[in-house]
Amino acid sequence: MTQNKTNVEKKVEQPKIILTIAGSDILSGGGIQADLATFTEYGLFGLSVITSIVTVKADTFTITLIDLDLVAAQLASIEENYQLSAIKIGLVPSVEMIKLVGTFVQRVGQNIPVVVDPVMVFKENGSVPIQELVDAFKSDLLPFATVTTPNLTETKMLAGGIEIANEVDLQVAAQNILDSGAKAVVAKGGTRLNKKTAIDVLVAKDVVKVFQAPIVNAKFNNGAGCTFSSAIASQLALGQEIETAVQNAKDFVFQGIKHGVAISPEFGNVWQGANRL
């Protein structure tokens, strides 16, 4: 007698939806590409609003802004069609665009985590007065941020030009940024404060915590900042607490740099799939 076998299909839950608002990186190490890759690693479904397109030639890069009306149309489409679990904001390369995104987040992001990575890439090409971008971030985005993740240079800018020479200075600067309205600040000291460990500081209400990780081959660090903030946003979307999210994101990026993807003998990308494999 032969017994019939019934194939029972395993029910797969619908993934939570998360949005990135950022630039497109032709190298795929950072920007929209890194964000979406990170979201996938955490089991989320990523949507994107593209603010600019970055192209690279030799030792230079060019940022082409997306027309403001087109950015507004992308945001309107997201708002009309999707229920979001979190928003991650990266490169928003003009004051007008920052204000536009801030208005969107004020409407859509009130009850979900919002992670602001204050990418001010124009500090390197001088196309926009940097202080105008700093002021716009502080007035139009940080007050709606669950957490912001500035690197050392951005931390100095957002903290009013304060000098940062050590871990204590980094904490003071992060507290200064916290006063701008963000609920939490992760100031990334990276490798510049200590040549042996990469140091980040989390400052929130009644919380100050220092995170350290061994320094790995910086050759593969393109996209590390974008990936770090996207990993935090992913975990907050899944309900994780901020301290655990930051530590996990730091581990995620460590593996991504350690097993990065070479673009040239001297340069390479973080690989978001490294942590899984």
Side-chain angles (χ1 to χ4, degrees), residues 90-169:
L91 175 59
V92 186
S94 75
V95 170
E96 294 77 15
M97 205 177 292
I98 289 172
K99 292 182 181 299
L100 175 67
V101 171
T103 300
F104 168 82
V105 171
Q106 191 173 13
R107 289 197 310 270
V108 176
Q110 291 186 359
N111 299 312
I112 59 175
V114 176
V115 176
V116 176
D117 187 22
V119 180
M120 287 179 276
V121 72
F122 286 100
K123 66 181 180 288
E124 293 155 351
N125 72 4
S127 298
V128 172
I130 188 62
Q131 191 58 49
E132 292 183 14
L133 288 175
V134 170
D135 293 343
F137 267 105
K138 292 174 72 171
S139 63
D140 293 280
L141 281 179
L142 294 192
F144 312 116
T146 305
V147 58
T148 185
T149 59
N151 64 23
L152 190 61
T153 301
E154 293 154 356
T155 297
K156 290 180 182 180
M157 293 176 180
L158 292 170
I162 186 172
E163 287 301 316
I164 303 174
N166 51 50
E167 182 183 307
V168 174
D169 292 343

Side-chain angles (χ1 to χ4, degrees), residues 37-49:
T38 301
F39 297 160
T40 297
E41 292 299 323
Y42 282 95
L44 302 172
F45 187 84
L47 305 175
S48 63
V49 167

Side-chain angles (χ1 to χ4, degrees), residues 28-30 34 37-38 41 220-224 227 251-262 268-277:
S28 294
T38 301
E41 292 299 323
F220 302 126
N221 66 351
N222 182 49
T227 301
D251 296 340
F252 186 90
V253 172
F254 174 83
Q255 294 297 333
I257 298 174
K258 184 177 180 181
H259 303 287
V261 178
N269 286 340
V270 171
W271 180 35
Q272 290 78 22
N275 197 66
R276 168 171 44 91
L277 298 175

Side-chain angles (χ1 to χ4, degrees), residues 166-190:
N166 51 50
E167 182 183 307
V168 174
D169 292 343
L170 192 62
Q171 292 181 29
V172 171
Q175 182 62 56
N176 185 304
I177 298 170
L178 192 73
D179 294 339
S180 297
K183 295 182 179 65
V185 178
V186 180
K188 299 176 292 187

